[in-house]
Amino acid sequence: MRADLAANPSVCTLAYWHRPRFSSGYHLSGGGQGLWNALYDYGADIVLSGHDHEYERFAPQNPSGQLDNERGIRQFVVGTGGTNLRDFKFIQPNSEVRNSETWGILKFTLHPDSYDWEFLPIPGQTWSDTGVAKCVTAPGVPTARTAAE
């Protein structure tokens, strides 16, 4: 993944996989440390995951889960599209918004140097979450040449 990130530099980067790195849901925080480290090193902005059956948005964090508003990665856990929703087990640090009662999807719009999100509930439900953020500009991001050395 590091080679791919180095070969495809961009200002706004979104990554996604199934199990969340950080979660207040039933399964709590999971693996993905190596992936998070690489994404952080290359200035990624968003990680989108599911697995836990609820919606949760985290503030930008570094690989250790500490708040990092300068170059941290914002994670969204969006498991709101199928089976029964579950309550939260233990609220994790930097968890900004949580909902375990609304089914829906999350819409992202990536711009050249920012992104916005909007949780769209299913018909008949009204809860939502929206926001906008600037993309990370990480100084010293490794280049393709330095990543291969």
Side-chain angles (χ1 to χ4, degrees):
M1 184 171 78
R2 286 179 180 275
D4 190 42
L5 289 166
N8 298 287
S10 63
V11 176
C12 291
T13 302
L14 181 149
Y16 61 94
W17 60 81
H18 184 72
R19 271 193 96 114
R21 170 81 182 106
F22 304 100
S23 176
S24 301
Y26 180 79
H27 296 99
L28 296 175
S29 295
Q33 179 74 47
L35 295 171
W36 200 278
N37 290 347
L39 290 165
Y40 184 82
D41 289 348
Y42 283 86
D45 301 280
I46 305 162
V47 167
L48 177 62
S49 59
H51 194 61
D52 278 324
H53 301 174
E54 86 299 278
Y55 175 88
E56 184 170 24
R57 173 172 47 88
F58 284 86
Q61 300 178 95
N62 68 20
S64 300
Q66 297 169 322
L67 182 65
D68 183 346
N69 287 316
E70 292 299 312
R71 59 179 292 198
I73 301 169
R74 183 182 303 278
Q75 181 186 269
F76 294 83
V77 180
V78 187
T80 55
T83 190
N84 295 335
L85 299 174
R86 295 187 190 129
D87 287 333
F88 294 92
K89 195 170 185 178
F90 179 75
I91 306 307
Q92 298 296 308
N94 303 312
S95 175
E96 293 182 318
V97 174
R98 295 168 301 284
N99 181 284
S100 61
E101 298 175 359
T102 307
W103 281 277
I105 61 170
L106 186 61
K107 174 185 171 184
F108 282 102
T109 304
L110 301 177
H111 305 285
D113 62 354
S114 66
Y115 62 93
D116 51 72
W117 67 88
E118 179 181 10
F119 182 85
L120 303 169
I122 64 170
Q125 296 187 316
T126 59
W127 184 87
S128 190
D129 179 40
T130 61
V132 63
K134 287 289 216 181
C135 292
V136 171
T137 52
V141 170
T143 64
R145 187 172 151 267
T146 59
E149 292 174 350

